[in-house]
Amino acid sequence: EDQVTQSPEALRLQEGESSSLNCSYTVSGLRGLFWYRQDPGKGPEFLFTLYSAGEEKEKERLKATLTKKESFLHITAPKPEDSATYLCAVQDSSNTGKLIFGQGTTLQVKP
Amino acid sequence: DAEITQSPRHKITETGRQVTLACHQTWNHNNMFWYRQDLGHGLRLIHYSYGVHDTNKGEVSDGYSVSRSNTEDLPLTLESAASSQTSVYFCASSEGAHLLMKQYFGPGTRLTVT
């Protein structure tokens, strides 16, 4: 059974304090791993798609990396506006387009 | 600009009543999805559709139904609402040619069943 586990559940950082969020997955043939950002009261907003181990993608202070068993979302010198819940999701080789989501990591960045 | 909208944004209903949540997208995407989001469970797939007249069950489909009569809309119906269906519901869509394409999410509907 496909499974996605994110850690930690919650993370508090001071502004400028870099850290990483983890997404561990078990899937029957990974077709893609997705990172989303979700602000309170809103729908998830797409950040990245990673397709194969070794791939990296960057956007502003965020960098996502992928290995065969996990993905990391690195946050460099975060700002208070980076506070949100970050969701990881995987799509398996069944080619159905379905996403399996982790429970998310809630990040709070204090000024 | 193209978008995906959901209505109502908030709904309170009583146990046993039928409820329909609307989802409308203007991207002309073939694929549409319904999720529910609960504390401790994350987002879970309810139903999905690859095009007009196509519907498929997700992992938590019991008590829910969908129908797709056009490209833009995928309404979600709770046949007989139960307290366990209190949740936040999100609709999403993605382009039809490649199922690996990212999904765009609506703003959500918060449903309370009393």
Side-chain angles (χ1 to χ4, degrees), chain B residues 11 13-21 65 76-81:
Chain B
K11 174 78 175 177
T13 191
E14 295 177 346
T15 301
R17 290 190 178 267
Q18 184 181 81
V19 177
T20 297
L21 309 183
S65 64
L76 177 71
T77 297
L78 286 67
E79 303 294 342
S80 177

Short mmCIF file of all heavy atoms in Angstrom, two decimals, chain B residues 11 13-21 65 76-81:
data_model
loop_
_atom_site.label_atom_id
_atom_site.label_comp_id
_atom_site.label_asym_id
_atom_site.label_seq_id
_atom_site.Cartn_x
_atom_site.Cartn_y
_atom_site.Cartn_z
N LYS B 11 -20.93 25.35 5.10
CA LYS B 11 -22.26 24.76 5.07
C LYS B 11 -22.48 24.00 6.37
O LYS B 11 -21.60 23.24 6.81
CB LYS B 11 -22.39 23.80 3.89
CG LYS B 11 -23.68 23.01 3.83
CD LYS B 11 -24.82 23.83 3.31
CE LYS B 11 -26.07 22.97 3.15
NZ LYS B 11 -27.23 23.79 2.70
N THR B 13 -25.34 21.44 8.00
CA THR B 13 -26.51 20.65 7.66
C THR B 13 -26.79 19.65 8.77
O THR B 13 -25.98 19.46 9.68
CB THR B 13 -26.30 19.92 6.32
OG1 THR B 13 -27.55 19.36 5.89
CG2 THR B 13 -25.29 18.78 6.47
N GLU B 14 -27.95 19.02 8.68
CA GLU B 14 -28.34 18.05 9.70
C GLU B 14 -28.11 16.62 9.23
O GLU B 14 -28.14 16.34 8.03
CB GLU B 14 -29.82 18.24 10.06
CG GLU B 14 -30.10 19.57 10.71
CD GLU B 14 -31.58 19.77 11.01
OE1 GLU B 14 -32.40 18.99 10.46
OE2 GLU B 14 -31.91 20.69 11.76
N THR B 15 -27.90 15.74 10.16
CA THR B 15 -27.74 14.32 9.85
C THR B 15 -28.91 13.81 9.03
O THR B 15 -30.06 14.13 9.35
CB THR B 15 -27.62 13.51 11.15
OG1 THR B 15 -26.51 14.00 11.90
CG2 THR B 15 -27.42 12.04 10.87
N GLY B 16 -28.59 13.07 7.97
CA GLY B 16 -29.62 12.47 7.14
C GLY B 16 -30.01 13.29 5.92
O GLY B 16 -30.65 12.76 5.00
N ARG B 17 -29.65 14.53 5.88
CA ARG B 17 -30.01 15.38 4.72
C ARG B 17 -29.05 15.13 3.56
O ARG B 17 -27.89 14.76 3.74
CB ARG B 17 -29.98 16.85 5.10
CG ARG B 17 -31.10 17.26 6.04
CD ARG B 17 -31.16 18.77 6.17
NE ARG B 17 -32.26 19.19 7.02
CZ ARG B 17 -33.46 19.50 6.57
NH1 ARG B 17 -33.72 19.43 5.27
NH2 ARG B 17 -34.39 19.90 7.41
N GLN B 18 -29.55 15.35 2.35
CA GLN B 18 -28.71 15.28 1.16
C GLN B 18 -28.06 16.64 0.95
O GLN B 18 -28.71 17.68 1.06
CB GLN B 18 -29.52 14.90 -0.07
CG GLN B 18 -28.68 14.72 -1.33
CD GLN B 18 -29.50 14.36 -2.55
OE1 GLN B 18 -30.11 15.22 -3.19
NE2 GLN B 18 -29.54 13.08 -2.87
N VAL B 19 -26.77 16.62 0.65
CA VAL B 19 -26.01 17.86 0.46
C VAL B 19 -25.21 17.76 -0.83
O VAL B 19 -24.64 16.70 -1.10
CB VAL B 19 -25.03 18.10 1.63
CG1 VAL B 19 -24.19 19.34 1.38
CG2 VAL B 19 -25.78 18.20 2.95
N THR B 20 -25.18 18.83 -1.60
CA THR B 20 -24.35 18.87 -2.81
C THR B 20 -23.38 20.03 -2.73
O THR B 20 -23.79 21.16 -2.49
CB THR B 20 -25.21 18.98 -4.07
OG1 THR B 20 -26.03 17.82 -4.19
CG2 THR B 20 -24.34 19.08 -5.31
N LEU B 21 -22.12 19.71 -2.94
CA LEU B 21 -21.06 20.72 -2.98
C LEU B 21 -20.65 20.92 -4.43
O LEU B 21 -20.41 19.95 -5.15
CB LEU B 21 -19.86 20.26 -2.16
CG LEU B 21 -20.14 19.79 -0.73
CD1 LEU B 21 -18.83 19.44 -0.02
CD2 LEU B 21 -20.92 20.82 0.04
N SER B 65 -21.21 10.60 -3.85
CA SER B 65 -21.34 10.32 -5.28
C SER B 65 -21.01 11.57 -6.07
O SER B 65 -21.08 12.69 -5.55
CB SER B 65 -22.75 9.84 -5.62
OG SER B 65 -23.70 10.86 -5.37
N LEU B 76 -20.21 17.22 -5.91
CA LEU B 76 -20.08 16.11 -4.95
C LEU B 76 -21.35 16.07 -4.11
O LEU B 76 -21.72 17.06 -3.50
CB LEU B 76 -18.87 16.33 -4.05
CG LEU B 76 -18.64 15.30 -2.94
CD1 LEU B 76 -18.19 13.97 -3.54
CD2 LEU B 76 -17.63 15.79 -1.92
N THR B 77 -22.00 14.91 -4.07
CA THR B 77 -23.23 14.75 -3.31
C THR B 77 -23.04 13.79 -2.15
O THR B 77 -22.48 12.70 -2.33
CB THR B 77 -24.37 14.23 -4.22
OG1 THR B 77 -24.63 15.20 -5.23
CG2 THR B 77 -25.65 14.01 -3.42
N LEU B 78 -23.48 14.24 -0.99
CA LEU B 78 -23.56 13.37 0.18
C LEU B 78 -25.00 12.91 0.26
O LEU B 78 -25.91 13.72 0.46
CB LEU B 78 -23.18 14.12 1.46
CG LEU B 78 -21.70 14.45 1.68
CD1 LEU B 78 -21.18 15.47 0.67
CD2 LEU B 78 -21.48 14.95 3.11
N GLU B 79 -25.22 11.65 0.05
CA GLU B 79 -26.58 11.12 -0.10
C GLU B 79 -27.40 11.29 1.18
O GLU B 79 -28.56 11.67 1.14
CB GLU B 79 -26.52 9.65 -0.50
CG GLU B 79 -25.73 9.38 -1.78
CD GLU B 79 -26.38 9.98 -3.01
OE1 GLU B 79 -27.58 10.31 -2.97
OE2 GLU B 79 -25.68 10.13 -4.03
N SER B 80 -26.79 10.98 2.31
CA SER B 80 -27.44 11.11 3.62
C SER B 80 -26.34 11.49 4.60
O SER B 80 -25.60 10.63 5.08
CB SER B 80 -28.10 9.78 4.01
OG SER B 80 -28.66 9.87 5.30
N ALA B 81 -26.22 12.78 4.87
CA ALA B 81 -25.08 13.29 5.62
C ALA B 81 -24.97 12.65 7.01
O ALA B 81 -25.96 12.45 7.71
CB ALA B 81 -25.17 14.80 5.76
#
